[in-house]
Amino acid sequence: MSVRTLVVDDSLTMQALIQRTLASDPQIQVVGTASSADEARMRIKELDPDVVTLDIEMPGMNGLDFLERLMRLRPTPVVMLSTLTSEGADASIAALELGAFECFDKLALRRPDDAIRLPALVRAASGSRGRSVAAAPRVAEPAAQADYRPRDHAMLAIGASTGGVEALIELLSGFPANCPPTVIVQHMPPSFTASFAARLDRLCKPHVEEARAGAVLAPGKVYLAPGGDKHMEIAGPATRRYCRLLPGAKMSGHQPSVDILFHSVAKIAGADAAGAILTGMGADGAEGMLAMRQAGSVTIGQDEASSVVYGMPAVAHRIGAVVQQMPLRRIAARLLQECRA
């Protein structure tokens, strides 16, 4: 069955380019186009598409305002299209937080090797659940008791991809200000991670920062791997572990890779660590999480019901990498308990 897709963009040239890109996939049918929010609203009612591609920047009601109304009134899988520059990062992250499935760089449509990712995203979006903003959980179950204290040398490692913006906001909302040192790989474009780290820092009790080479892991701090052309690892003795940013080929299709991070955690921290693999397309992190479990780490996978895309945690579960699967709202409490003094 074809994925019925509505293309919303105020540029007729861009509409044609998006349609041509999607037409390369026989599983996708573009059922209509719209050039404004008002026209998109009418076309959605008329056509009831499986997926909407939506431009962030439109005249009149912009894409973010339209997305918020759509997710509140008629939840539908949406792939946002934007120029993924530093200026557009805040808007794109806001779109992901509002419930967009993923953001795609318009400039990539002119690069054949990158353009093929858009049809894959649209197909994946069609299998996700449109998320209502009003119904979306925003806070993890209470886990941050006033007397919480992490044990010496304990640390956490987390990996996420599609759906991870919402998931990480919810997960970290359950962390206390003195949480164990936490390292995260979230698949994101290079221009996004600094903005997302700043957003998490404003919303959560621990200090969240984009990781830099040599940053020493400390309680109460969360380190988000920078997007770009480097992988993040941890290194050093238990008394002074630190972040390393290293060049290298993509691993499991990604750079930075969750697998690379998790393998380093298995080697350096072992039973001192606990980890979680969250919502995301593909399999990145599964093998690394298996190494963590074999090294004595407690490993948690997000369950299918709470995942936007049950890909990465599904593979990790299938190969025996996770000790337990659980809903997102319960993962923070479990991770903190495993690291408690």
Side-chain angles (χ1 to χ4, degrees):
M1 182 178 293
S2 296
V3 179
R4 303 175 69 258
T5 305
L6 175 69
V7 174
V8 182
D9 198 291
D10 65 313
S11 165
L12 296 181
T13 300
M14 189 55 64
Q15 284 183 17
L17 185 55
I18 296 168
Q19 288 186 80
R20 186 162 65 247
T21 301
L22 296 179
S24 67
D25 191 319
Q27 297 182 51
I28 297 174
Q29 177 190 8
V30 176
V31 294
T33 61
S35 299
S36 67
D38 287 340
E39 186 179 1
R41 187 182 301 112
M42 292 186 294
R43 299 294 271 168
I44 289 171
K45 290 180 180 179
E46 172 191 351
L47 299 169
D48 191 24
D50 301 315
V51 177
V52 174
T53 70
L54 178 62
D55 185 15
I56 279 187
E57 299 159 352
M58 294 192 301
M61 181 186 293
N62 66 38
L64 284 180
D65 291 338
F66 180 74
L67 175 67
E68 189 277 332
R69 292 192 184 187
L70 180 63
M71 288 303 183
R72 178 161 42 85
L73 301 174
R74 192 187 181 107
T76 303
V78 173
V79 176
M80 301 296 294
L81 273 76
S82 66
T83 53
L84 303 187
T85 61
S86 56
E87 292 79 11
D90 287 342
S92 297
I93 289 169
L96 294 169
E97 191 176 343
L98 284 170
F101 179 79
E102 188 61 280
C103 289
F104 185 82
D105 186 0
K106 280 187 172 184
L107 298 179
L109 292 171
R110 303 185 185 279
R111 303 190 297 265
D113 290 346
D114 295 328
I116 58 173
R117 184 167 174 263
L118 180 58
L121 284 176
V122 168
R123 289 197 314 271
S126 71
S128 71
R129 298 171 303 281
R131 289 162 283 165
S132 167
V133 172
R138 309 306 302 168
V139 180
E141 288 185 350
Q145 299 92 340
D147 63 345
Y148 182 81
R149 183 170 67 86
R151 69 175 185 274
D152 291 343
H153 312 316
M155 66 165 297
L156 298 173
I158 299 166
S161 187
T162 305
V165 166
E166 286 184 296
L168 287 169
I169 290 172
E170 181 174 340
L171 180 75
L172 295 181
S173 73
F175 278 27
N178 65 335
C179 70
T182 301
V183 288
I184 299 174
V185 167
Q186 160 71 47
H187 298 154
M188 276 186 158
S191 58
F192 278 34
T193 43
S195 181
F196 185 43
R199 174 71 172 150
L200 290 171
D201 189 55
R202 290 193 297 271
L203 292 174
C204 306
K205 292 179 180 178
H207 173 65
V208 184
E209 63 186 51
E210 187 180 48
R212 53 181 174 77
V216 176
L217 304 191
K221 289 192 174 183
V222 178
Y223 307 84
L224 180 68
D229 59 356
K230 291 182 172 63
H231 293 291
M232 184 169 79
E233 298 180 342
I234 64 161
T239 55
R240 191 177 172 82
R241 298 188 185 115
Y242 61 92
C243 296
R244 297 174 65 192
L245 302 179
L246 302 172
K250 289 183 178 181
M251 172 69 72
S252 306
H254 295 280
Q255 194 178 36
S257 163
V258 182
D259 270 324
I260 293 284
L261 176 63
F262 282 179
H263 275 293
S264 73
V265 172
K267 178 180 178 181
I268 299 299
D272 284 342
I277 190 164
L278 307 181
T279 174
M281 294 170 59
D284 188 27
E287 293 291 343
M289 178 152 276
L290 179 60
M292 284 182 62
R293 183 174 186 182
Q294 291 170 341
S297 306
V298 172
T299 53
I300 306 299
Q302 186 174 349
D303 68 5
E304 182 174 8
S306 65
S307 295
V308 173
V309 180
Y310 186 57
M312 288 161 48
V315 176
H317 182 256
R318 187 166 65 245
I319 67 173
V322 299
V323 172
Q324 184 180 2
Q325 288 195 114
M326 58 179 55
L328 177 64
R329 69 180 186 277
R330 293 176 49 203
I331 293 177
R334 176 64 188 276
L335 291 175
L336 292 168
Q337 183 60 38
E338 292 300 332
C339 293
R340 192 177 187 123

